[in-house]
Amino acid sequence: AQTVTQSQPEMSVQEAETVTLSCTYDTSESDYYLFWYKQPPSRQMILVIRQEAYKQQNATENRFSVNFQKAAKSFSLKISDSQLGDAAMYFCASQEDSSYKLIFGSGTRLLVRP
Amino acid sequence: DAGVTQSPTHLIKTRGQQVTLRCSPKSGHDTVSWYQQALGQGPQFIFQYYEEEERQRGNFPDRFSGHQFPNYSSELNVNALLLGDSALYLCASSMGRGAGYEQYFGPGTRLTVT
């Protein structure tokens, strides 16, 4: 069964510093996609970054980057130069190529200290 | 360009009642997925509609049903409401027939069952 695990319920970072959120997943398929979504208090889920499993190069989007370790089934999110607006719930999600559903982890709450 | 919209924003129902939630996808999108997000948890996939048919379903009872209209908008119906159905219901739209496409989420409908 496809699973996603986020073992950090809450993380805290000083403004302008760097923080890494952890995620591990399990899937029996060789083709799949991984995502990080941000959910601020407004509730609207926003895609932060996307990674295709067949690509070895780690995805980056401005201050956001991932460390994709396929053999270890690990997909961590690094946020550089943290800003107050980064404070939110962050969800890791996976999607198998044969499926249409996203499987989400339980989320990590990120606090940003001014 | 309007994003994904959902109505109503909040809803309070009594056990045993029936509820209908509505979703309009992002312009250009033809696929709608529904997720249930219980408090403090990650979203769980209910089902996905494409070409007015349910394409994939998660582990939800038959009390949960849906519909997609020719204009790609969608409804989620829940019959015989239980207290455990209290949650945030998220609609997500995407385009394309395969996996891996970004799913754009709406702001959700908060359902409270008393």
Side-chain angles (χ1 to χ4, degrees):
Chain A
Q2 189 182 358
T3 61
V4 176
T5 303
Q6 294 180 251
S7 58
Q8 305 157 317
E10 186 174 286
M11 292 285 285
S12 179
V13 64
Q14 191 77 34
E15 196 176 3
E17 297 295 309
T18 296
V19 64
T20 298
L21 309 184
S22 301
C23 172
T24 58
Y25 63 93
D26 194 18
T27 175
S28 56
E29 296 198 5
S30 57
D31 292 329
Y32 53 91
Y33 305 85
L34 299 168
F35 307 84
W36 277 98
Y37 277 89
K38 169 185 177 181
Q39 188 177 39
S42 66
R43 307 183 322 203
Q44 190 138 10
M45 199 84 73
I46 303 163
L47 180 67
V48 174
I49 201 163
R50 172 180 175 272
Q51 175 82 41
E52 294 149 323
Y54 65 85
K55 288 188 177 178
Q56 294 188 346
Q57 186 172 8
N58 290 324
T60 62
E61 286 289 342
N62 301 314
R63 298 183 295 107
F64 299 87
S65 62
V66 298
N67 183 4
F68 175 44
Q69 301 290 325
K70 192 171 184 178
K73 294 184 176 177
S74 170
F75 183 62
S76 60
L77 174 69
K78 185 172 83 171
I79 306 174
S80 305
D81 185 26
S82 296
Q83 301 175 358
L84 294 177
D86 294 334
M89 284 292 291
Y90 285 81
F91 291 96
C92 178
S94 70
Q95 183 182 34
E96 295 173 337
D97 192 53
S98 63
S99 175
Y100 302 104
K101 63 181 177 182
L102 290 171
I103 301 297
F104 286 86
S106 56
T108 296
R109 180 176 303 280
L110 178 65
L111 306 174
V112 181
R113 305 186 304 274
Chain B
D1 177 23
V4 179
T5 60
Q6 292 185 245
S7 63
T9 304
H10 297 90
L11 204 52
I12 300 175
K13 289 287 188 178
T14 303
R15 273 181 302 175
Q17 286 188 319
Q18 178 264 344
V19 68
T20 297
L21 311 182
R22 295 176 176 82
C23 171
S24 291
K26 181 179 169 65
S27 178
H29 287 184
D30 58 7
T31 302
V32 173
S33 302
W34 287 92
Y35 293 82
Q36 180 194 65
Q37 186 177 19
L39 197 61
Q41 298 182 21
Q44 287 197 305
F45 176 78
I46 303 175
F47 42 53
Q48 185 180 87
Y49 276 84
Y50 173 70
E51 292 187 341
E52 301 180 50
E53 291 193 358
E54 183 183 288
R55 179 157 72 173
Q56 187 174 8
R57 188 179 183 92
N59 295 324
F60 280 81
D62 292 344
R63 299 187 296 109
F64 289 77
S65 64
H67 188 77
Q68 186 178 35
F69 299 94
N71 67 352
Y72 307 121
S73 66
S74 177
E75 288 182 350
L76 164 65
N77 300 293
V78 187
N79 295 323
L81 284 167
L82 304 174
L83 294 180
D85 295 332
S86 295
L88 180 67
Y89 287 85
L90 297 170
C91 168
S93 73
S94 57
M95 57 184 296
R97 299 177 181 178
Y101 289 91
E102 178 180 353
Q103 296 192 20
Y104 289 77
F105 284 82
T109 293
R110 172 74 64 191
L111 173 64
T112 302
V113 182
T114 62

